[in-house]
Amino acid sequence: MANVIPLFDSKGLRTANAGARVLLVGAGPGDPGLLTRKAYAALQAADVLFYDDLVSAEILAEVPASVRRVYVGKPKGTTKVTQEDIISQLIEAARTEGTIVRLKGGDPFIFGRGGEEAEALQAEGIAVEVIPGITAAAGAASTTHIPLTHRDHSATITFVTAVRRDGALADIAGLAGEGRTLVVYMGLGKATDIVEALKADGIAGDLPVAIVENATRPGQRQFITTVDALAETVAAQNVRSPALFIIGRVATAGSALVRAGDHTATDGPFHWAHFAHG
Ligand SMILES: C[S@@+](CC[C@H](N)C(=O)[O-])C[C@H]1O[C@@H](n2cnc3c(N)ncnc32)[C@H](O)[C@@H]1O
């Protein structure tokens, strides 16, 4: 494996002679206070920043105006930039423009195609450094006080994407139920299929589900529902992306801030503005 000298030391300070590279950086779920020190340092050190729709406006506000920004998301009504385009733009920029930051929501290696990008860049001889981020499940859990594990409720967590590469629902058999937590990413458009799959797997219809929309961002919303009522709640509350489902008894653990049956809570009580203003 190529020996890449990290661009930043453990305090987030720049190291000498680190050389050209692409930094694959996790932006976390949206609250800029949840950026790691290294992620923040990378944003300050970037010559070029590649970002997409999952990167919040509050995080982009932390990027110096001098950094060239390349949006590689999907504005409404246009065609998405393909993964191949993104990779060739990254390669081109890495060869000609210094420090390139590829900023991704959450953690770059969790449902973020970070692995594919790192592979393609390394194959071209381009050094890659990965800076992890707080994944959305952790952000959603912390702001709602839903413990993803709990000795009384769950000894295992699974993160699953609802949508496989071919667009079909991922196989979720055996992943949910008593004693376990299932967090479903990208599940909004598949809520009905998820309910069907869970019921086919023998999951009780009253198993609690938390839906967390815009976790850690201004306008965060969270709802507690059940497997039976999941699709109905998504539709009735007009839940919008980004959102995820936390399925299991932990959703109604004693610490949880939203009570079972409460479909009306809005605004995460601990979003960043509350910290920022003390
Ligand atoms: C392409 S995946 C990227 C996941 C990301 N790499 C991570 O580690 O969180 C996008 C999905 O993550 C979830 N997600 C990302 N940010 C979120 C947020 N702030 N609140 C709720 N869900 C979020 C949603 O399910 C969204 O559809």
Side-chain angles (χ1 to χ4, degrees), residues 32 40 43-44 49 55-65 69 272:
Y40 182 81
L43 296 182
Q44 308 313 305
L49 174 80
V55 175
S56 69
E58 290 77 18
I59 300 249
L60 285 177
E62 301 289 329
V63 180
R69 298 172 187 213
W272 66 277

Side-chain angles (χ1 to χ4, degrees), residues 29 54 105-107 110-112 135-136 184-186 212-215 217 241-244:
L54 261 193
D107 182 90
I110 297 182
F111 307 132
T135 194
V184 183
Y185 287 63
M186 288 170 276
V212 187
E213 176 192 83
N214 271 320
R217 302 175 181 208
S241 184
L244 50 71

Side-chain angles (χ1 to χ4, degrees), residues 124-174:
E124 292 293 322
I126 293 166
V128 174
E129 185 175 341
V130 183
I131 299 179
I134 293 179
T135 194
S142 63
T143 51
T144 53
H145 292 195
I146 293 172
L148 291 175
T149 67
H150 188 297
R151 287 193 297 169
D152 294 337
H153 307 296
S154 172
T156 179
I157 328 169
T158 308
F159 296 164
V160 69
T161 169
V163 187
R164 291 193 320 208
R165 187 174 219 159
D166 61 3
L169 180 68
D171 182 7
I172 57 174

Side-chain angles (χ1 to χ4, degrees), residues 55-160:
V55 175
S56 69
E58 290 77 18
I59 300 249
L60 285 177
E62 301 289 329
V63 180
S66 56
V67 177
R68 183 166 85 83
R69 298 172 187 213
V70 184
Y71 171 70
V72 287
K74 185 187 180 189
K76 279 197 178 66
T78 66
T79 319
K80 191 175 171 66
V81 183
T82 65
Q83 192 62 26
E84 291 70 31
D85 282 345
I86 295 173
I87 289 169
S88 30
Q89 288 189 56
L90 283 169
I91 292 170
E92 172 68 19
R95 288 191 172 140
T96 56
E97 292 190 76
T99 301
I100 312 304
V101 170
R102 171 64 167 122
L103 188 62
K104 289 172 168 288
D107 182 90
F109 278 180
I110 297 182
F111 307 132
R113 299 189 187 175
E116 290 166 45
E117 289 178 17
E119 215 173 300
L121 290 163
Q122 286 166 196
E124 292 293 322
I126 293 166
V128 174
E129 185 175 341
V130 183
I131 299 179
I134 293 179
T135 194
S142 63
T143 51
T144 53
H145 292 195
I146 293 172
L148 291 175
T149 67
H150 188 297
R151 287 193 297 169
D152 294 337
H153 307 296
S154 172
T156 179
I157 328 169
T158 308
F159 296 164
V160 69

